[in-house]
Amino acid sequence: MDTLAEIARVVNACTDCQLHAGRTNAVPGEGPDAAELLFIGEGPGFHEDRQGRPFVGPAGNFLEDLLQSIGMTRDQVYIANMVKCRPPDNRDPVPSEIAACSKYLDRQIELLDPLLIVTLGRFSTARFIPGQSISRVRGRLRRVNGRHVFPIMHPAAGLRRQEMRAAIEEDFAKIPGLLDVLRIQSEPASENAQVREPMAPFDAVPADRPHSLWDMLEAPEPPAAPPPPDPPAAEEPEEPNEPLPGQQRLF
Ligand code: URA
Ligand code: SF4
């Protein structure tokens, strides 16, 4: 399996565990090959099984709202699940099913090589951080086998309980800042002067995002001491995504 599309083809024909028997469609996952952000849920539900797409039911609507709250859309991220076929009556996947299906997720992670993996709920969190309760580990970035993993509670839990919804929203709001830091960290030192294009357009980034590195990057130039330098085109405020010469010095 050398591409994400090939994984999807193999998954759609897979009969490696009993879940294949009850599915309408397998749900391999979807998103751009170059996604920086990978979300991993549990497994398809009713709507996902019908459509063959991840997170298209009520939990998916909530996930889309959460993405919007950080200035992103679902077509910018990759969305996958621990098991690719729906467990009957939405029961939990059993260990043998998770084990049979893990080769697909493993390969998706290898091919995507995402900057950040957000695990949604206890099953995908346990893949990286076994034996800990989600309520203990949620909302904190971990490095696991070279991958950056940020566990949050499952959006479906947020639909059932208001206090969980608040926790999910709180954790989600940390994602842009994490991406900022990870993007900068992942740049080779010699390229630090070039800030990579942010995933979200500038005007979609919430103005009240707390203490993000982009706040620094996008800070207006301090007033130039007289005599003013030649008016460089980069100081035009119309192109805020272009790092200004003085801003590059930050990195
Ligand atoms: N819940 C999940 O965990 N995954 C989906 O794809 C949909 C709902
Ligand atoms: Fe194959 Fe995974 Fe579906 Fe089981 S859940 S049949 S291992 S694709």
Side-chain angles (χ1 to χ4, degrees):
M1 295 183 289
D2 290 332
T3 64
L4 293 165
E6 190 183 345
I7 295 173
R9 279 194 295 277
V10 177
V11 164
N12 286 329
C14 178
T15 57
D16 289 354
C17 83
Q18 58 199 339
L19 294 182
H20 84 276
R23 75 181 173 217
T24 315
N25 293 289
V27 181
E30 67 184 23
D33 287 11
E36 290 183 309
L37 190 48
L38 166 63
F39 289 92
I40 308 176
E42 182 178 317
F46 174 84
H47 298 279
E48 290 77 20
D49 174 71
R50 284 294 170 95
Q51 296 185 39
R53 299 182 57 208
F55 283 95
V56 289
N61 292 338
F62 184 32
L63 182 61
E64 287 182 20
D65 290 347
L66 289 162
L67 283 166
Q68 193 183 23
S69 76
I70 58 167
M72 294 179 71
T73 56
R74 68 179 283 148
D75 57 12
Q76 293 177 299
V77 304
Y78 204 91
I79 307 177
N81 279 304
M82 292 296 288
V83 294
K84 313 301 193 192
C85 303
R86 182 190 182 206
D89 302 319
N90 294 343
R91 68 157 167 76
D92 290 345
V94 299
S96 62
E97 294 158 355
I98 291 173
C101 211
S102 66
K103 55 187 176 281
Y104 301 123
L105 181 62
D106 290 349
R107 192 70 183 128
Q108 286 172 320
I109 293 170
E110 270 175 23
L111 290 173
L112 275 167
D113 191 19
L115 202 54
L116 180 63
I117 296 173
V118 176
T119 55
L120 303 170
R122 61 199 169 99
F123 285 93
S124 53
T125 298
R127 181 190 185 281
F128 298 94
I129 310 166
Q132 302 249 20
S133 83
I134 179 84
S135 55
R136 277 181 82 92
V137 301
R138 68 146 186 103
R140 304 191 120 175
L141 183 67
R142 296 245 186 158
R143 202 176 152 91
V144 183
N145 297 329
R147 301 273 170 211
H148 288 99
V149 180
F150 186 67
I152 67 178
M153 282 186 293
H154 196 286
L159 294 178
R160 287 193 294 268
R161 307 247 311 262
Q162 178 55 40
E163 70 273 23
M164 297 217 180
R165 187 184 181 99
I168 294 169
E169 288 169 347
E170 180 187 316
D171 293 345
F172 224 86
K174 296 179 185 167
I175 292 175
L178 294 175
L179 286 174
D180 290 340
V181 171
L182 293 172
R183 279 192 199 112
I184 289 160
Q185 264 188 12
S186 72
E187 294 291 344
S190 60
E191 290 174 21
N192 275 354
Q194 286 296 320
V195 176
R196 234 205 276 177
E197 275 278 284
M199 203 173 349
F202 173 66
D203 62 3
V205 177
D208 59 351
R209 190 201 294 166
H211 310 304
S212 98
L213 289 182
W214 280 112
D215 294 341
M216 280 196 275
L217 286 170
E218 289 159 0
E221 284 273 79
D230 289 345
E235 284 196 355
E236 290 297 315
E238 286 82 36
E239 302 216 326
N241 280 339
E242 286 298 318
L244 303 177
Q247 294 173 335
Q248 290 179 354
R249 266 185 265 115
L250 284 169
F251 301 98

